[in-house]
Amino acid sequence: MDNPMEHYWKKRLEHVKEQFERNNFDVHIADDRHQARTLVLETILPKLGARSMSWGGSATFVQTGLYDALKAAWDVEVIDTYDKSFPPEEALERRRRSLLTDVYFTGTNAVTEEGELVNLDMIGNRVAAITFGPRHVILLVGRNKIVTDREDAMFRVKNYAAPVNAMRLDKKTPCAQTSFCQDCKSPDRICNTWAITEKCFPKGRITLVLINEDLGF
């Protein structure tokens, strides 16, 4: 067989798509980050009629180029929660306001073969938005986020995604030094609130863009 890895990922992404669709998510597959950006800008967003948008922490969202494409959108209200020019109190208030936007972009820590989202947050704004608030949520998901089940997802989050993000954010946590979770009590701990999303309600509120590329953490 020519290109077995290409065939492997195509089949696996199609399986994950089917499982999430059974759980009432809207799901698309993109060949790479560039196609994902085009898919969102030209197909998904125009159907939503959004008048406001915001986002939660997601390296994948940035890597697709969507952050740069949308942060200066002129025809909608944009609440840019990545803007570091605001003092902490205002930055937190912007995160609160982002929960009432028409469209919210973010990523996910893990997706299971059973069609579940598994996420762990520091502040909780990202998991809050996925759960309730914004009218529509668009998740950008690299293929590296796929795991077998919930147990594998939680292991991935605690012993890979969390330590890498703690390092990325220069947090003073044990995992940033050791690369694995020690269930710390550090003031900088980023593992505070779990959210497991088994099904999407209302149907189609959450859109997943599964990307056939390793992206994010």
Side-chain angles (χ1 to χ4, degrees), residues 28-125:
H28 303 262
I29 295 176
D31 291 337
D32 55 32
R33 69 187 74 188
H34 308 295
Q35 188 179 78
R37 181 178 65 246
T38 300
L39 181 64
V40 170
L41 294 176
E42 297 183 5
T43 302
I44 298 172
L45 268 180
K47 295 179 180 179
L48 301 182
R51 300 179 65 182
S52 60
M53 66 177 63
S54 190
W55 30 78
S58 170
T60 307
F61 174 60
V62 175
Q63 289 169 337
T64 60
L66 280 166
Y67 172 63
D68 288 331
L70 294 172
K71 65 182 179 180
W74 62 270
D75 54 346
V76 297
E77 178 190 7
V78 174
I79 301 174
D80 186 357
T81 57
Y82 294 179
D83 189 335
K84 299 187 184 303
S85 66
F86 296 97
E89 297 81 5
E90 175 61 18
L92 187 59
E93 185 59 29
R94 291 173 73 83
R95 286 179 170 84
R96 291 193 182 98
R97 288 173 51 210
S98 73
L99 299 180
L100 294 177
T101 54
D102 291 332
V103 179
Y104 189 94
F105 291 89
T106 191
T108 185
N109 296 133
V111 296
T112 73
E113 297 276 3
E114 300 165 348
E116 299 175 328
L117 304 174
V118 180
N119 285 284
L120 181 60
D121 245 10
M122 180 181 187
I123 299 173
N125 60 301

